Amino acid sequence: MENHAGVKFLIVGRTGWIANMVAALLEQRGERYAFASFRLEQREACERELDELRPERVLNCAGVTGRPNVDWCEDHRRETVRSNVLGVLNLADCCAERGIHLTNFATGCLYHYDSGKHRPTAEGGFPFTEEDPPNFFGSYYSRTKAMVEELLRTAYENVLILRLRMPVSDDLSPRSFVTKITRYEKVVNIPNSMTVLTELLPVALDMSERGLTGVYNFTNPGSITHNQVLALYKKYIDPEFQWKNFTLEEQAQILKAGRSNCELDVSKLLRDNPGAKIREVHEAMEEVFRRMQAQGIRPQKAS
């Protein structure tokens, strides 16, 4: 319930997709929570609200990702920095001054496969760990995320950083990775780590409650290709669905910003959450589509 008298959780990002999923989970758990009314970069408003509500934990689901996609950030760099760097640091600093734990829903789109150690695991490579330095700088969005993560992890001991990638929900929300790729004219076919939100958002709340801090790759184990995801969509949601592939080089010709493709190592996440049910990504994605089918979800035809 959104009760403003001594809340336990304060959610930053009232209008956001993940913020509202988090709020629904807190509602189910009967937790006291509120949505913040300030923008990330508004320090005085942030301090005032933290002092008035005195939350035990802050969950930051806000930030600029760009509409309709991260290409927007290439032409709006000041706005992107204001939110993704200055704003997040402001929130972390205000929380740190008051001894409040902050969970920052961040991104794992900091890496890209290379031809050496970090080639796809199917080719004998190794996933990226939390200790690997970012090697993907092809989008301004990812560059700002890498900047702020480095500052948070080295200066603020009160922050839990969760690196999500290509998040997927149990519906056809326009923000879900599944919906996005079904609407593309063509897709690349590359194995990637993905975050199945139904499985992982409860884990995020548990980690916040336990006061864990530091950086965690926050995806399901393993990697799954675009074609494998679309094959599941065709199997469970739209038997008539067809798609076409193209290469990374062909994709680059139509995008302003590059896209991260990588697999993240989640050994640390699994080690520190031994009781959590975090399934291998192929199994987890199959369950997503089974749940959608059971709900009677049908394809959304483009208008």
Side-chain angles (χ1 to χ4, degrees):
M1 60 202 73
E2 190 175 349
N3 180 350
H4 289 239
V7 300
K8 183 173 183 179
F9 292 94
L10 182 65
I11 304 171
V12 183
R14 176 186 290 270
T15 61
W17 175 49
I18 288 179
N20 281 275
M21 293 182 71
V22 167
L25 268 178
L26 292 173
E27 193 84 33
Q28 291 171 15
R29 294 184 176 195
E31 297 284 8
R32 293 171 291 111
Y33 74 91
F35 282 106
S37 61
F38 58 83
R39 297 183 67 84
L40 283 173
E41 65 271 18
Q42 296 173 328
R43 188 173 185 91
E44 290 183 2
C46 175
E47 291 183 317
R48 183 167 57 251
E49 202 152 322
L50 290 177
D51 291 338
E52 288 175 356
L53 298 179
R54 302 188 308 280
E56 296 176 23
R57 319 208 169 280
V58 173
L59 306 171
N60 180 38
C61 308
V64 166
T65 57
R67 290 288 192 279
N69 54 50
V70 296
D71 284 352
W72 180 92
C73 299
E74 300 299 309
D75 297 324
H76 299 82
R77 296 191 174 198
R78 191 180 302 173
E79 297 97 317
T80 304
V81 168
R82 186 180 298 132
S83 177
N84 291 357
V85 181
L86 301 177
V88 173
L89 291 175
N90 175 61
L91 179 62
D93 196 55
C94 290
C95 288
E97 286 188 341
R98 290 158 177 79
I100 299 172
H101 183 276
L102 170 65
T103 298
N104 190 49
F105 289 90
T107 184
C109 293
L110 310 176
Y111 303 105
H112 199 74
Y113 291 122
D114 59 28
S115 57
K117 175 183 177 182
H118 294 300
R119 59 192 183 276
T121 53
E123 300 173 16
F126 295 89
F128 291 91
T129 73
E130 291 85 354
E131 301 307 314
D132 286 314
N135 72 343
F136 174 70
F137 308 103
S139 75
Y140 198 70
Y141 166 80
S142 289
R143 287 162 62 188
T144 64
K145 291 293 190 173
M147 292 175 203
V148 78
E149 181 185 284
E150 178 62 19
L151 293 168
L152 288 174
R153 72 191 296 171
T154 56
Y156 293 97
E157 298 178 353
N158 62 313
V159 181
L160 170 64
I161 301 167
L162 301 178
R163 292 172 164 179
L164 284 70
R165 288 203 79 247
M166 299 178 171
V168 173
S169 55
D170 286 6
D171 56 23
L172 293 179
S173 163
R175 303 296 290 165
S176 176
F177 177 75
V178 171
T179 310
K180 290 180 179 180
I181 62 171
T182 61
R183 294 178 177 177
Y184 294 159
E185 187 176 339
K186 296 180 180 179
V187 297
V188 294
N189 184 39
I190 300 174
N192 272 284
S193 287
M194 295 183 192
T195 301
V196 174
L197 294 170
T198 298
E199 292 194 3
L200 284 163
L201 286 184
V203 179
L205 295 182
D206 293 342
M207 293 173 76
S208 171
E209 291 243 38
R210 291 160 56 204
L212 296 183
T213 58
V215 180
Y216 285 82
N217 290 335
F218 203 64
T219 67
N220 291 77
S223 60
I224 187 169
T225 67
H226 296 63
N227 283 2
Q228 288 170 330
V229 173
L230 291 175
L232 289 170
Y233 177 81
K234 182 180 177 77
K235 176 181 178 181
Y236 288 99
I237 307 298
D238 185 359
E240 299 177 4
F241 185 76
Q242 302 290 330
W243 71 93
K244 297 178 182 178
N245 291 128
F246 65 163
T247 66
L248 279 174
E249 293 72 24
E250 290 169 327
Q251 182 191 55
Q253 293 175 12
I254 65 169
L255 299 175
K256 284 188 176 181
R259 299 294 191 267
S260 161
N261 291 288
C262 65
E263 181 180 337
L264 301 182
D265 185 317
V266 293
S267 301
K268 180 181 176 183
L269 176 69
L270 299 177
R271 180 199 72 195
D272 291 351
N273 296 278
K277 188 174 183 179
I278 306 174
R279 286 177 279 207
E280 193 277 332
V281 67
H282 293 85
E283 181 185 352
M285 288 296 293
E286 183 115 21
E287 287 302 313
V288 166
F289 285 103
R290 284 176 178 156
R291 290 191 293 267
M292 281 200 271
Q293 186 185 62
Q295 295 173 57
I297 291 176
R298 305 310 304 156
Q300 300 170 350
K301 301 300 181 183
S303 55

